[in-house]
Each structure stands twice: as structure tokens, then as C-alpha cells.
Amino acid sequence: MDILHDSIIQGVNHYAVIGCQESEKDEKVRRLGEKNIRVILYKQGRHEAVRVILEHLLEETNPDLYRKINPIAVMKPGSFLEQFSPDAGIVPLSGRKKEMGELNSFLRTSGGLFQWWAIVGPGGCGKSRLAYEFQNQLPPGWIVHKLKRNDYKNLNGVTERLTQKTLLIADYVQEHARELGEWMESLNENEQLRSQPIRLLLVERDTDRGLEDFLCPVVDYVQEHAAEIVKRMESLSEKPIQLLPAAREADREPEDSAWTKQLYSNVRNEMKLKEACYRESFLKLSPLSDENLMDIMENYARILQWDKKKSGRVLEDKTRQILLQKLKMIDPYLCRPLYAMFLTVAYIEYKDIEQWKRNDMLNYVIGGEGKRIKFSIKNVMCKDTVDKIYNACIYLKCAATALQGIPVENLQKLFPDIWKIIKDKSKDFESPEDFLYQTGLTFKDKLTALRPDVVGEYFVCRWLFKQNEKTIHDFVAAIWKEPVPAIIFFDRLICNFGHLLNENPERWDRLYSDRILLPENALKYYPQHVLNATYYCNSAVQCEKLVYLLEIFANKYPDDSKIAFAFAGGLFNLSNKQDRRYAESTIGRLEKFSADNPDVIEIAVELAKALFNLSNKQDVLSAEGSIARLEKICAGYPDVTEIVILFAKGLFNLSCE
């Protein structure tokens, strides 16, 4: 009653919290509305709804008490997943004492007034959390400034505010890598104008291919067929194993996935900026120990059950071991703390996690997010049937996730058809913006992305799989109106979840089509992304369709060397996925394309790699022919080290035959 009393401002707002039957809803709303009383309804007998309402009122009237009573609920509006954001601090940081010591050494380095470094690692491993905890324990005299999106519009303005010891933190570096590089060079060159040290900490995923995501399906297969595999291995155990004398295949990393390349792309003196880096090797987060992971599970379970157990261990040792082993099965190479928390909440909610495979955990997490959004819509609209507006809201949530958030004022411009649905269905609200706010989809006039990132990527990926071709094409075209965040998001999606596309190769065909009407400003980036897609696509048939897209761009823009290189790279990737006969044909196309573009050295390199790989698939006589063609390329580009080395390796491998 105290909470209710404190919530009421006499003469302004009146509420009634009432349980009622479905048939009574309209009448109760009408009768109380006539008396200027807003009614909050819940289903008859579902009195747990009252607690939810009272908790919200308590949060409004006495946030300190609310935080003390229910720490897990004190999040940004909008999502159960917000508790996993880096600044939530739900559980103590565990297992990063060594890394924290290294960051403190970076802060105190005497290498120069301006120094920079980076925390790298795969999504969900705790990079942003470590940076957040680091900034909270700075020594006296230091301040911290975390760069926001608006800061990148005027980085010089940030420089003007650097008047004391400052730790700068830049997360999501890839999106702004070029601007950051130029700014870092300016900070480094003008350090003599300052008397106080500046430390810049970059936070970004590392540039590895994401091997664990490619190997996990193999792990799943091994687990399912363990007995059969053991028998076959035993039958082969006495046969000799032949070791290859040299690397048998040239490979290539996806272009532009290495954000460091972009960081240096516009600087005048790359070497000087590298010298300002605290340490050549970045701070790469490794998997936590079993003990640390179980501590995280225990601490999180304690928070989840705050009203049930006040002291003592929440999880028994046996239970913690079960959760740990399931984590190692689901995420064997990384054992991400984020996934450890997901498994813990699922266990607390009595889910049968022992039967889960790799994607079951993420399906559970995003399924809960979908239910939350639908519940919020029903709650504010007081309706049971909300499918059309729910689908529109999910569409917008996926779009916001792909674009790292969208200002509400841009929604109508980017998604006019979806906005019309929102507008038509929210006539009982002050505005469509008011409806989105009340459902928790927006925060501070911005449609928020689904976080953590790896969950958001999976959320969008799974949603796309359920859509028809037109919806997919319209969505992709709309997202590419903002090409920089688009290429970063889709590159990450196919890196982390390309195996889901490969489960049904037609998904590649639907996501990448010549029928997608791309905006003009996307053409600078889109071919590069399609090239990266050819790297992750395992189907030769679908990869050939991706290469066809690149060929369309190459023919349309014959003077664009970057598009030409993307087409050449696509042909190389395609040849790696084909058997020898088809690979020979593809390399013939690449050879002709190289002859038509002799000034583009990158195309010649792709051709050299393709011929080297082809020679490893051929018999000796055919391989001699491929190496002879490689020798001809080497003669044409004698100063290109990569081509020379490929020729030498090709001769070596051939001599071994």
C-alpha cells in the first residue's frame, strides 16, 4: 500500500489494478475510463501479475530499495538479455586477474604520452566486461571517456576535452576503424602539445576465421557416431600415416575482417602509429578455467534465486559439473562465460539441458526474447491477438540489431511498409513512437539492438530462415542503406553462423540474390561482403551463384579495381570447393580475367594461389602443366613475393611426387 500511495500524484494519474475474465475487459476499461482512471488488467487468478506491477512502481518511487531487493531486474528497459550487458555487473568478474594486471601496466607505461592497445577475442568471451571493470578501478587523477557513436562525427571535439589523464575506450572498432586510425595518428603526432598522458583501449573481435564455429558441427557428428568412429580407427591403427612435406593448399582470410588493416588504411605513417602501440600482440582473452566458470554459474544462480536461498551454496557440486560438461559440449573451444550464464538460467527454470545440442541453448534464449516482446505488446494493447503488429515489431528488432540501433525518427524512412503497420495498429496511443516506448522496444528515442551481439546475430539469422523470399530481399535491401554497419553485421553473421546456412545451402541463394534492389551507396561495400560469403559457403553450387553476382558487378563497373579483385577472389574460393574438373574450368576463367586486368596485381595473386591448389589435386603430368602456368605468372610479376613463394612451393610439392 505504501508503494501504491507513493505512486499516485493526486489529480493527475489514477490507476486500477484488477483481475478479470476475458468477457469483462472492455466493460471495465470503459467504466473506469469515464472516471479518468486507467485500468491495468490481468487474467483472473493470475495474481503474480500484481507483483510485476508493484515491482515497476517500486522502481519508480524508490530505486535504491528496488535495486537491493531485486538486483537482476535493474536493467535498461526492454529485455531479459540486458542483464548480460557488460555494464550490468550481475556477477563479479572472475578469472581475469592476470589480464587486469596487464591493463594496469598499459595504463602506467612510460612509452609516451599517447599509447594505445586492444582487447580482442571472440563474441561472448568477456572483452567489453573486462574493459568496463578496468575503467571502474582507475587510480586517482584518471578519468575515462567511452566513445559513443556521435563522437565519431567530431573526434577533434573529443581531443579538445582531453585536458587531464584520460583513458579512452572504443568498442565496436571495425565500424569506425578508418576514422579511428586517422584520429589516433593525430593524437600521436600532437602529443607534445599536451602534458597529460592519454591511453586508448580498443575492443573488438579478433580476426581469426572462427575455426571453432566450423569444427563444432564436426564435434556434434563425432559425439553421435563415437562408437562407429572408434571401431574404424582401431581397424586402421596398424596402417602407416604419411606426413605431407609442405603446406598443400593456399588459403585466404575474408577481406576487411581484419579491422587492423582498416585502422592503418588512411594514416600517413603506419610504422609510427604502430610504435605507439603498447605491445605488438594485443590482449587476447583465452577461455576461463573450470573453477572460474563454475564460480560464474554459482554466483548467477544465487542472483536468480535471491528470494529462495539467502545463504549457502545454490548449486550442488554434481549440478555444477553437469552444467560445466554441457558447456564444454556446446562451446568446446571457447567455453564462453555468457553461455555458462545461459545454461544456468535454463537449469534454474527446469529446462532439460542434458539433451541439448549446440543450438538448443541459443534457441531457448531467443525464444524467451520473442515471448517477452509479445507479452509486452499484449500488455500495453490489452489484446490477445497481436500477431500482425508483433511480426512488425520483430522485423524492426532484427533491423535495429543489424544496424546497432536505429533512431526512431529514421524508422519511417528506412521501413515505410512496416512503419505503416505500426501506425495503423497503435491508434489508441499518443503516437507510434509512444507505442514502441511502452512496449520497451525503444530507449532514449532509439530502437535498441538485441544484445549480446552473438545472440543478436543468431536472432536475426533464425528470423531470416522463416521469412519468404520477398521479405528477405526487402529486409536486406533496407539494411544496406546503411552500408558500414551492414557489412560488419553480415560479415559477423556468416562467420559465426555460416554453418546454419550450410545446413540448407538454398539459404545462401535466398540471402544473396541478383533480385535484391541494393541502394547505390552500398556498391562500395557489398561486393566485398559477397566475396567473404564465398569463403564461408561450403556448397560449390551456391558458391558459383555468389560468384555470378560478383561477375555482374565486375561487368557493370569494369574500372573499379576493388570489385575486380572481389570477383577474382570469388573465383579462387569457388575453385577450392570444386572437384578437379570443374576447378580447372573456373581457373581458366580466372586466368582470362587476369590477362584482361594485368595491372591489378591482386588478381594475379589469386590466380597463382588457384594454380598452386589445383596442382595438388592433379596427377603428376597435369600438375606439371599447372606449375608451368604458375611459372609464367611468376615471370610476369617477379617482385611479388607471394607469387614467387607459391611457385617455389609448387615446385617442391611436385618434386616430392
Side-chain angles (χ1 to χ4, degrees), residues 368-385:
E369 181 64 13
K371 290 176 183 177
R372 184 205 65 78
I373 293 174
K374 180 168 282 191
F375 176 83
S376 296
I377 295 171
K378 286 183 177 181
N379 187 47
V380 301
M381 298 189 79
C382 299
K383 294 179 181 179
D384 281 338
T385 305

Side-chain angles (χ1 to χ4, degrees), residues 255-266:
E255 290 300 314
D256 281 345
S257 63
W259 55 269
T260 50
K261 292 181 182 177
Q262 300 174 53
L263 196 70
Y264 299 125
S265 61
N266 291 346

